[in-house]
Amino acid sequence: MSISPDQTYLARTFDDGRYDWARSRRVRRRAVLAEAALLVALVAVTLAAATTSEGWTTWYFVAWTAGMLGFIPLHSVLNLGIRGVFDRDSRSLDEHQQRLADRSHNAMGWPSMGLSFAAWTGAVAVVALTGHVALALCLGFLLWFTSGLLTYWHLAWTAPEEPADADL
Amino acid sequence: MGRQPKSEADKVHDRIAVLRADRGVSRKELADAVGVHPQTIGYVERGDYSPSLALALRIARFFDLPVEAVFSLDPLPSLSEELLRRTS
């Protein structure tokens, strides 16, 4: 029986040497900051839109779409930086990668639950105070989405710098 | 499963880098042989990660050495010092 981690197509992509630049601590941390800033900006825009009488407007739709599209490359860089340990098949992870993933899951368990709770209460509060159901759903989605990202951010921020060339 | 050492006293010392250099084995070759990713071997060599017992045994078996010759709770003396001590 093989003891090596299974190398699925996704795992090979995350381990591809062409993306070594994304694995430095500096790039990983910048990706975390950029994602966090983007989500804070989207939450702020949603709250700002909720305070208006129109609620859902074209400018809000444009801001939302631009933000979501901008998230895709940012998260791709961040995920390459942590070798996609939360997204690939667990059989493709070795004991150290599994350990790092478990550590971040454990560290972010309560904050993540808190944000999920804030997503519900925030959405309910927006509907109760403004009556804008679509914006309440957007706010709830953003906070719930952020709760899922906390483990990625924790790992990308805390993972040690990778050792130099494997062929040494 | 292994873990990250919490302090200097908690660290597991090893001779993997010296043994690899002696046998002309790259991190990738060793990693493939013992079933981990190459960067994990690097973390173990650097002392950032204490391997599981199973991984430590597989690494020792790869080098055909007893596990205590590869890993130790105390800093390991250099191989040349040990050789000198045994021959003198």
Side-chain angles (χ1 to χ4, degrees), chain A residues 48-57 130 132:
Chain A
T51 58
T52 63
S53 54
E54 297 90 14
W56 184 278
T57 55
T130 68
H132 297 313

Side-chain angles (χ1 to χ4, degrees), chain A residues 36-113:
Chain A
L38 178 61
L39 285 165
V40 167
L42 281 173
V43 167
V45 167
T46 305
L47 290 174
T51 58
T52 63
S53 54
E54 297 90 14
W56 184 278
T57 55
T58 306
W59 72 260
Y60 178 76
F61 176 72
V62 170
W64 174 271
T65 307
M68 286 292 127
L69 288 176
F71 180 82
I72 296 169
L74 280 180
H75 196 64
S76 300
V77 171
L78 187 141
N79 224 359
L80 286 168
I82 56 172
R83 294 181 184 263
V85 294
F86 296 114
D87 292 323
R88 53 203 258 191
D89 193 318
S90 62
R91 286 170 303 168
S92 75
L93 302 176
D94 72 10
E95 60 175 56
H96 180 250
Q97 290 170 322
Q98 192 73 56
R99 172 85 192 166
L100 288 177
D102 290 348
R103 191 186 55 139
S104 291
H105 262 303
N106 293 339
M108 291 294 107
W110 281 106
S112 186
M113 196 177 285

Side-chain angles (χ1 to χ4, degrees), chain A residues 3-5 7 15 83 88 92 94-100 102-103 160-168, chain B residues 1-4 20 26-28 32-40 42-43 46 48-49 51-52 55 58:
Chain A
I3 52 167
S4 296
Q7 286 301 295
D15 283 333
R83 294 181 184 263
R88 53 203 258 191
S92 75
D94 72 10
E95 60 175 56
H96 180 250
Q97 290 170 322
Q98 192 73 56
R99 172 85 192 166
L100 288 177
D102 290 348
R103 191 186 55 139
E161 199 74 78
E162 288 198 356
D165 197 352
D167 293 325
L168 288 175
Chain B
M1 196 182 280
R3 63 200 184 94
Q4 282 169 296
R20 280 197 310 103
S26 70
R27 260 188 220 132
K28 186 171 179 349
D32 288 344
V34 299
V36 292
H37 290 278
Q39 67 270 20
T40 297
Y43 288 126
R46 217 164 61 179
D48 285 349
Y49 178 64
S52 66
L55 178 57
R58 286 202 298 269

Side-chain angles (χ1 to χ4, degrees), chain A residues 1 8 12 20-22 26 30 63 77 102 111:
Chain A
M1 193 182 79
T8 59
R12 278 200 299 275
D20 281 348
W21 58 269
R26 195 169 56 94
R30 283 183 180 181
V77 171
D102 290 348

